[in-house]
Amino acid sequence: MSCYNITRSAEQLLDSYEDAAPSFSVHFYPDYWTLNNGPKFLYNNPIASILDDVRAHRIPVDYLELFDSARVPFYDGCMLVELLDYRPKKAKDPPLEKPERSRVALHPNDETLWANICLMNQRSGNKFTDTEVLELEAQILLQTAPPLCLDPDPHLTRIANHTLRVSTPSIPISLKRKAAAITPEEDESDKTRRAKIMQFMNQRQNRSHAPRYFVLSQSNLFLLTFT
């Protein structure tokens, strides 16, 4: 039954690798955050989506290929992330000199399983057949999934399901702005921005377009934190 308690499993994992190096670290400051010793990012930066994954205790699937190429350490299929929070309790106070330290365990899911199989197939020269992929997925699930509950007792099934439900970390609200929190001025600005996107490369506008790669440049900065 203990394997159905996600919170307890995470605590055991953190205790087992208490002295191990973290997979990566996140530094929180009042106006920005950093990954490892990399550049500064604003909290509304597109790359901040990785923070949503950390808060939801799931492995960031969008960066699996980067983690693989950078040989980021994994522990029993999970990632250990160290959080260093320099933000003061009150907004007007200066940042803390010594951060509040904590660690969280990021767990894989079906999406990361499929992404890992795709990476393995890519390394093998895309030679995997459908049968080989299914066999590989079956072997991974046998090694990582909790044992099946084959007892037909409905009470035991309800207990197992309830334990799994209450111990699974809830997915927090995204750091991105929510529609309910947007002011009328921001909403009008957002509508104008969407209208411009809809007219992108419209020949009727008869305007020349010079492409910009701001998001791509931000991603390159992110890559530098692991190189």
Side-chain angles (χ1 to χ4, degrees):
M1 184 64 68
S2 61
C3 59
Y4 289 91
N5 191 321
I6 303 300
T7 301
R8 182 177 300 174
S9 299
E11 292 175 351
Q12 292 175 350
L13 180 67
L14 292 172
D15 291 339
S16 300
Y17 297 99
E18 182 179 2
D19 298 327
S23 301
F24 61 88
S25 59
V26 183
H27 303 249
F28 297 98
Y29 295 90
D31 299 323
Y32 63 91
W33 62 280
T34 63
L35 193 65
N36 292 341
N37 295 318
K40 301 176 181 179
F41 297 107
L42 298 178
Y43 286 99
N44 59 355
N45 190 292
I47 298 176
S49 62
I50 194 174
L51 300 181
D52 292 327
D53 292 318
V54 172
R55 295 167 70 227
H57 296 226
R58 61 173 177 251
I59 294 177
V61 66
D62 294 334
Y63 302 101
L64 271 181
E65 188 172 359
L66 169 63
F67 296 150
D68 181 67
S69 60
R71 299 186 179 278
V72 173
F74 282 72
Y75 302 94
D76 295 345
C78 300
M79 303 184 76
L80 302 183
V81 180
E82 187 172 39
L83 308 177
L84 298 95
D85 196 344
Y86 293 85
R87 295 171 296 183
K89 299 298 182 181
K90 298 181 180 180
K92 296 181 179 180
D93 293 341
L96 303 178
E97 295 183 1
K98 293 184 178 181
E100 296 182 1
R101 293 176 176 267
S102 61
R103 279 195 174 190
V104 295
L106 309 187
H107 299 275
N109 53 24
D110 294 338
E111 191 175 6
T112 54
L113 171 62
W114 175 249
N116 276 320
I117 293 177
C118 291
L119 284 176
M120 297 172 67
N121 185 30
Q122 183 178 352
R123 287 198 296 266
S124 68
N126 298 319
K127 296 180 180 179
F128 284 3
T129 63
D130 292 343
T131 302
E132 291 173 337
V133 169
L134 292 175
E135 179 64 25
L136 178 59
E137 182 180 7
Q139 292 299 323
I140 294 176
L141 290 176
L142 283 175
Q143 297 297 324
T144 59
L148 295 176
C149 179
L150 302 179
D151 195 320
D153 187 354
H155 297 289
L156 182 59
T157 301
R158 283 196 292 267
I159 293 174
N161 290 337
H162 177 72
T163 302
L164 184 62
R165 182 173 61 254
V166 300
S167 65
T168 301
S170 59
I171 299 178
I173 299 176
S174 173
L175 291 177
K176 298 179 181 179
R177 297 177 307 168
K178 296 299 180 181
I182 297 179
T183 62
E185 293 79 8
E186 290 175 325
D187 186 51
E188 188 65 29
S189 176
D190 197 46
K191 290 180 180 179
T192 304
R193 181 182 60 83
R194 289 198 299 266
K196 289 182 178 180
I197 293 176
M198 294 300 294
Q199 296 298 327
F200 178 73
M201 295 296 289
N202 186 350
Q203 295 180 356
R204 295 182 181 180
Q205 296 292 323
N206 194 23
R207 297 176 180 175
S208 60
H209 172 70
R212 298 191 305 170
Y213 303 97
F214 174 75
V215 174
L216 184 60
S217 64
Q218 292 291 307
S219 299
N220 289 335
L221 287 176
F222 178 79
L223 294 176
L224 291 176
T225 63
F226 289 97
T227 57

PDB file of all heavy atoms in Angstrom, residues 180-191:
ATOM      1  N   ALA A 180      -9.382  35.817 -15.188  1.00  0.00           N
ATOM      2  CA  ALA A 180     -10.143  36.497 -14.151  1.00  0.00           C
ATOM      3  C   ALA A 180      -9.362  37.623 -13.500  1.00  0.00           C
ATOM      4  O   ALA A 180      -9.949  38.542 -12.923  1.00  0.00           O
ATOM      5  CB  ALA A 180     -10.572  35.496 -13.082  1.00  0.00           C
ATOM      6  N   ALA A 181      -8.042  37.560 -13.577  1.00  0.00           N
ATOM      7  CA  ALA A 181      -7.220  38.570 -12.917  1.00  0.00           C
ATOM      8  C   ALA A 181      -6.792  39.679 -13.862  1.00  0.00           C
ATOM      9  O   ALA A 181      -6.117  40.612 -13.450  1.00  0.00           O
ATOM     10  CB  ALA A 181      -5.975  37.908 -12.317  1.00  0.00           C
ATOM     11  N   ILE A 182      -7.176  39.604 -15.115  1.00  0.00           N
ATOM     12  CA  ILE A 182      -6.752  40.605 -16.092  1.00  0.00           C
ATOM     13  C   ILE A 182      -7.657  41.829 -15.998  1.00  0.00           C
ATOM     14  O   ILE A 182      -8.890  41.715 -15.990  1.00  0.00           O
ATOM     15  CB  ILE A 182      -6.790  40.021 -17.509  1.00  0.00           C
ATOM     16  CG1 ILE A 182      -5.791  38.862 -17.611  1.00  0.00           C
ATOM     17  CG2 ILE A 182      -6.472  41.074 -18.551  1.00  0.00           C
ATOM     18  CD1 ILE A 182      -5.786  38.209 -18.983  1.00  0.00           C
ATOM     19  N   THR A 183      -7.074  42.997 -15.931  1.00  0.00           N
ATOM     20  CA  THR A 183      -7.846  44.232 -15.876  1.00  0.00           C
ATOM     21  C   THR A 183      -8.404  44.539 -17.260  1.00  0.00           C
ATOM     22  O   THR A 183      -7.925  44.018 -18.275  1.00  0.00           O
ATOM     23  CB  THR A 183      -6.953  45.385 -15.419  1.00  0.00           C
ATOM     24  OG1 THR A 183      -5.905  45.573 -16.377  1.00  0.00           O
ATOM     25  CG2 THR A 183      -6.331  45.073 -14.062  1.00  0.00           C
ATOM     26  N   PRO A 184      -9.433  45.421 -17.359  1.00  0.00           N
ATOM     27  CA  PRO A 184      -9.982  45.764 -18.672  1.00  0.00           C
ATOM     28  C   PRO A 184      -8.923  46.323 -19.621  1.00  0.00           C
ATOM     29  O   PRO A 184      -8.958  46.051 -20.823  1.00  0.00           O
ATOM     30  CB  PRO A 184     -11.056  46.807 -18.329  1.00  0.00           C
ATOM     31  CG  PRO A 184     -11.451  46.492 -16.928  1.00  0.00           C
ATOM     32  CD  PRO A 184     -10.201  46.010 -16.255  1.00  0.00           C
ATOM     33  N   GLU A 185      -7.975  47.124 -19.088  1.00  0.00           N
ATOM     34  CA  GLU A 185      -6.924  47.670 -19.951  1.00  0.00           C
ATOM     35  C   GLU A 185      -6.041  46.561 -20.497  1.00  0.00           C
ATOM     36  O   GLU A 185      -5.697  46.544 -21.674  1.00  0.00           O
ATOM     37  CB  GLU A 185      -6.089  48.685 -19.167  1.00  0.00           C
ATOM     38  CG  GLU A 185      -6.822  49.956 -18.771  1.00  0.00           C
ATOM     39  CD  GLU A 185      -7.705  49.752 -17.556  1.00  0.00           C
ATOM     40  OE1 GLU A 185      -7.617  48.655 -16.944  1.00  0.00           O
ATOM     41  OE2 GLU A 185      -8.482  50.661 -17.222  1.00  0.00           O
ATOM     42  N   GLU A 186      -5.694  45.593 -19.636  1.00  0.00           N
ATOM     43  CA  GLU A 186      -4.868  44.486 -20.085  1.00  0.00           C
ATOM     44  C   GLU A 186      -5.615  43.618 -21.086  1.00  0.00           C
ATOM     45  O   GLU A 186      -5.046  43.108 -22.038  1.00  0.00           O
ATOM     46  CB  GLU A 186      -4.434  43.655 -18.877  1.00  0.00           C
ATOM     47  CG  GLU A 186      -3.431  44.364 -17.973  1.00  0.00           C
ATOM     48  CD  GLU A 186      -3.134  43.540 -16.738  1.00  0.00           C
ATOM     49  OE1 GLU A 186      -4.059  42.854 -16.245  1.00  0.00           O
ATOM     50  OE2 GLU A 186      -1.997  43.595 -16.254  1.00  0.00           O
ATOM     51  N   ASP A 187      -6.940  43.450 -20.849  1.00  0.00           N
ATOM     52  CA  ASP A 187      -7.737  42.642 -21.750  1.00  0.00           C
ATOM     53  C   ASP A 187      -7.794  43.276 -23.131  1.00  0.00           C
ATOM     54  O   ASP A 187      -7.710  42.592 -24.153  1.00  0.00           O
ATOM     55  CB  ASP A 187      -9.146  42.486 -21.170  1.00  0.00           C
ATOM     56  CG  ASP A 187      -9.991  41.527 -21.995  1.00  0.00           C
ATOM     57  OD1 ASP A 187      -9.504  40.411 -22.254  1.00  0.00           O
ATOM     58  OD2 ASP A 187     -11.107  41.893 -22.371  1.00  0.00           O
ATOM     59  N   GLU A 188      -7.947  44.610 -23.191  1.00  0.00           N
ATOM     60  CA  GLU A 188      -7.987  45.303 -24.476  1.00  0.00           C
ATOM     61  C   GLU A 188      -6.644  45.198 -25.173  1.00  0.00           C
ATOM     62  O   GLU A 188      -6.580  45.004 -26.392  1.00  0.00           O
ATOM     63  CB  GLU A 188      -8.353  46.774 -24.243  1.00  0.00           C
ATOM     64  CG  GLU A 188      -8.609  47.553 -25.540  1.00  0.00           C
ATOM     65  CD  GLU A 188      -9.821  47.034 -26.288  1.00  0.00           C
ATOM     66  OE1 GLU A 188     -10.739  46.511 -25.621  1.00  0.00           O
ATOM     67  OE2 GLU A 188      -9.826  47.127 -27.528  1.00  0.00           O
ATOM     68  N   SER A 189      -5.566  45.308 -24.407  1.00  0.00           N
ATOM     69  CA  SER A 189      -4.237  45.168 -24.989  1.00  0.00           C
ATOM     70  C   SER A 189      -4.028  43.767 -25.535  1.00  0.00           C
ATOM     71  O   SER A 189      -3.416  43.574 -26.590  1.00  0.00           O
ATOM     72  CB  SER A 189      -3.176  45.490 -23.932  1.00  0.00           C
ATOM     73  OG  SER A 189      -1.881  45.274 -24.449  1.00  0.00           O
ATOM     74  N   ASP A 190      -4.548  42.764 -24.822  1.00  0.00           N
ATOM     75  CA  ASP A 190      -4.414  41.387 -25.280  1.00  0.00           C
ATOM     76  C   ASP A 190      -5.200  41.156 -26.561  1.00  0.00           C
ATOM     77  O   ASP A 190      -4.752  40.441 -27.465  1.00  0.00           O
ATOM     78  CB  ASP A 190      -4.897  40.442 -24.178  1.00  0.00           C
ATOM     79  CG  ASP A 190      -4.431  39.018 -24.383  1.00  0.00           C
ATOM     80  OD1 ASP A 190      -3.233  38.832 -24.677  1.00  0.00           O
ATOM     81  OD2 ASP A 190      -5.252  38.101 -24.254  1.00  0.00           O
ATOM     82  N   LYS A 191      -6.375  41.777 -26.673  1.00  0.00           N
ATOM     83  CA  LYS A 191      -7.161  41.649 -27.904  1.00  0.00           C
ATOM     84  C   LYS A 191      -6.434  42.276 -29.083  1.00  0.00           C
ATOM     85  O   LYS A 191      -6.435  41.737 -30.189  1.00  0.00           O
ATOM     86  CB  LYS A 191      -8.533  42.314 -27.708  1.00  0.00           C
ATOM     87  CG  LYS A 191      -9.461  41.575 -26.764  1.00  0.00           C
ATOM     88  CD  LYS A 191     -10.787  42.298 -26.632  1.00  0.00           C
ATOM     89  CE  LYS A 191     -11.728  41.570 -25.688  1.00  0.00           C
ATOM     90  NZ  LYS A 191     -13.023  42.283 -25.539  1.00  0.00           N
TER      91      LYS A 191
END
